[in-house]
Amino acid sequence: MKELYFLLIGVSRKLLDFYLAGSLSSKTRRTYAPGEQQMKGTKSVISDENKKLCVWLKRQRQEKGHTMRSLSEILGTPHSFIGKVENQERRLDVIEYVRYCHALEIDPMEGLKQVLTDA
């Protein structure tokens, strides 16, 4: 019983040290490639390619005459969703990206070509 108690105390001590240190060991810390940076407070990564795609999506929305609110109504999402995507506070997964493009009546491949040709 004493062994279990000391084991639990040791684990708790390590967790407390980890919490107080506020950082991960170098073995588990993610390194970022040039052009990538970590967003504060999240695990999402902003890349130059994602920025190009978001700028392209915003330009397409504006050219089609949609406001954030009108596009969000088509997608069935809150209008803040559109703002977060366009300001790179949120990433789109593949399915969301395709739905976003279909709501704007644009070809999803065009956005990917923009990213791939500029890369």
Side-chain angles (χ1 to χ4, degrees), residues 5-107:
Y5 175 75
F6 287 119
L7 179 66
L8 290 174
I9 295 279
V11 169
S12 297
R13 176 78 179 166
K14 286 183 181 180
L15 288 173
L16 179 62
D17 289 342
F18 174 77
Y19 176 75
L20 293 175
S23 65
L24 300 173
S25 71
S26 61
K27 291 181 182 178
T28 58
R29 188 175 295 136
R30 162 91 158 82
T31 56
Y32 297 94
E36 289 185 328
Q37 64 183 11
Q38 184 177 12
M39 290 175 54
K40 292 183 179 183
T42 69
K43 303 239 181 209
S44 296
V45 177
I46 298 175
S47 65
D48 292 336
E49 293 85 1
N50 188 56
K51 182 176 182 176
K52 290 174 192 173
L53 187 63
C54 291
V55 167
W56 180 78
L57 285 170
K58 182 176 182 176
R59 188 173 59 242
Q60 293 300 312
R61 174 183 62 79
Q62 291 170 338
E63 286 176 6
K64 296 287 183 172
H66 284 288
T67 62
M68 286 186 208
R69 196 169 298 274
S70 68
L71 181 58
S72 71
E73 288 173 3
I74 295 169
L75 288 169
T77 61
H79 69 279
S80 61
F81 170 83
I82 307 300
K84 288 178 182 178
V85 168
E86 291 181 357
N87 292 320
Q88 299 180 66
E89 296 172 23
R90 186 188 190 291
R91 286 189 141 190
L92 292 173
D93 67 27
V94 175
I95 303 303
E96 290 172 328
Y97 171 70
V98 170
R99 288 179 180 159
Y100 202 103
C101 289
H102 285 160
L104 289 172
E105 299 177 353
I106 55 177
D107 183 12

